[in-house]
């Protein structure tokens, strides 16, 4: 599924969720530990931005209508209420 995030600056961006995440139509993104992030949930995370080079990721991103010339956010972990991640 195509799930984007909205940053503190109000811009939307594609998210590459942690390996093992899945989509549950009735709930949202299910993380590998079983936690669920529903559409509209707010959370803090750490990871970085990557430039897409993997053909399978490029194909999926293009199918979602995302501009693959831009970076994609790579979410490695959630930070909870911690100030640093």
């Amino acid at each position: 599924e195509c799930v984007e995030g909205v940053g503190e600056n109000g811009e939307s961006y594609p998210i590459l969720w942690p390996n093992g995440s899945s989509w549950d139509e009735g709930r949202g993104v299910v993380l590998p530990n079983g936690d669920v992030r529903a559409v509209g949930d707010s959370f803090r995370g750490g990871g970085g931005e990557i430039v897409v080079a993997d053909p399978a990721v490029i194909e999926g991103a293009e199918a979602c209508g995302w501009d693959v010339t831009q970076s994609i956010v790579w979410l490695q972990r959630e930070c909870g209420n911690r100030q640093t991640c």
Side-chain angles (χ1 to χ4, degrees):
E1 293 294 321
C2 305
V3 180
E4 293 182 325
V6 178
E8 292 175 349
N9 62 4
E11 291 185 32
S12 63
Y13 49 87
I15 299 176
L16 183 59
W17 295 89
N19 188 34
S21 298
S22 61
W23 175 254
D24 181 308
E25 189 66 39
R27 299 187 305 156
V29 176
V30 181
L31 300 171
N33 67 359
D35 287 350
V36 176
R37 295 298 163 255
V39 173
D41 279 355
S42 182
F43 65 92
R44 289 175 37 93
E49 292 184 38
I50 60 171
V51 176
V52 179
D54 183 314
V57 175
I58 291 171
E59 183 178 326
E62 288 176 338
C64 290
W66 294 334
D67 180 358
V68 295
T69 63
Q70 302 296 318
S71 296
I72 290 180
V73 172
W74 172 38
L75 182 67
Q76 290 182 298
R77 64 195 174 283
E78 285 196 64
C79 302
N81 294 324
R82 293 180 291 170
Q83 290 294 83
T84 59
C85 191

